Amino acid sequence: MKSAWLLLVLIPVLGGLLAFVQPPPRPAAQPGRALPGGALVAFSKGYRVSFYGLERLHPFDIGKPGRIARHLVEQGLMEKQDFAIADEVDPTLLARVHDPAYLASLSTPKVLSEALEVAVPGFLPKAALDRRVLGPFRRQVQGSVLAARGARAHGLGINLGGGFHHARPAMGHGFCVYNDVAVAIAAMREEGLEGTVLIVDTDAHQGDGSHAFFAQDPTVFSLSLHQAGIFPQPRLPGDLDQDLPAGINDSDFLAVLAAVFERAPQDPAFVVHVAGSDVLADDPLASLGLTPEGLVERDLFVLRWARQRGVPLLHLLAGGYGPSSAQAQARSVEAMLGELR
Ligand SMILES: [Zn+2]
């Protein structure tokens, strides 16, 4: 009996040690293939943060990208070779967007704990933190760069991750370390994108980080619809902020979205949609009242708006913490790809 108890204790300990010495998966990069109608979908199994269970202390659904990718393959919409598989983003690109001192400070557990809202123990080796926690974020950032490139080449680029809209130039918070919206825009500018960029942030939380990046930049219009009175507090003003009341239903949300679009630039050169699923009624970190059908309609509205104008659209999945989050976003991506066919 005693030995059975000993095994019960030893197996998880040994498993933890094994996980510690084994490097996390580093799937090889792959360019991906454009889908019928003009879309590129970016993803990597390496998006998943895996840090001895610490990642489970935050309600963020780290398995969401993988479940959506599986759904797209199971539905016959994509083959594995179609995904643009992201490697880690170029560190020089990160350093051009973020404050280099902030980037260096991410190796300290205190700064990382603030960004991730999870207490990262100080005794953990820095190299393991970098590889297992920051590495997956850097892959998701690169996924947004690949999807942005795909949008410019084909019309629509979807990253099955990213949308880290709370990360500011020299500060991370709200489970956002690097701001992939800002990084993707910087990469596209380097690759010749001219004209106005329109950021449409429909995540339940205000896109304060994206606002911070572009407050002084007249070429980027940063628009956010979000629930009033929740994180982040205090907020930073953007070009257009629209508060939403708790419990707002699908039709009222869609009416506000359409009205907000009338106040946005009508001829942007590029659109980024930060399309969080925490607008759903079952989300534990917000209390808006959308149904999965409403979420799909929201995403199709933005897609149609961009397509009617012939503007490339980068779609990012962002936050979403409730039980129906992954399934609703899987249906949304399916509907968007269906719309193109
Ligand atoms: Zn959110």
Side-chain angles (χ1 to χ4, degrees), residues 165-166 203-205 278 319-321:
H165 59 160
H166 296 308
D203 185 280
H205 303 93
D278 47 10
Y321 316 92

Side-chain angles (χ1 to χ4, degrees), residues 44-67:
S44 167
K45 285 180 180 169
Y47 281 6
R48 198 183 169 100
V49 175
S50 151
F51 205 74
Y52 321 119
L54 273 178
E55 67 277 6
R56 295 193 188 93
L57 298 177
H58 190 279
F60 201 90
D61 183 359
I62 53 159
K64 182 168 85 171
R67 287 208 291 283

Side-chain angles (χ1 to χ4, degrees), residues 196 198 221 223 258-269 271 305-306 308-311:
T196 302
L198 170 61
F221 191 93
L223 176 171
V260 158
F261 260 92
E262 286 180 10
R263 294 161 58 200
Q266 297 300 301
D267 56 349
V271 178
W305 192 93
Q308 278 161 10
R309 289 161 179 77
V311 183

Side-chain angles (χ1 to χ4, degrees), residues 224-244:
S224 177
L225 283 86
H226 41 258
Q227 185 179 341
I230 61 171
F231 182 91
Q233 300 289 345
R235 292 180 172 170
L236 299 176
D239 292 302
L240 177 48
D241 281 298
Q242 176 67 56
D243 275 348
L244 301 167

Side-chain angles (χ1 to χ4, degrees), residues 112-127:
L112 200 53
S113 300
E114 282 165 9
L116 300 180
E117 299 176 337
V118 171
V120 177
F123 59 82
L124 294 169
K126 285 183 177 179

Side-chain angles (χ1 to χ4, degrees), residues 97 141 144 162-165 178-187 197 199 201 210 213-214 220 272-274 314 316:
V97 171
V141 172
S144 295
F164 301 122
H165 59 160
Y178 312 109
N179 191 310
D180 57 312
V181 177
V183 173
I185 291 172
V197 174
I199 300 170
D201 190 326
S210 308
F213 273 98
F214 300 110
V220 178
V272 183
H273 185 193
V274 181
L314 168 63
L316 307 171

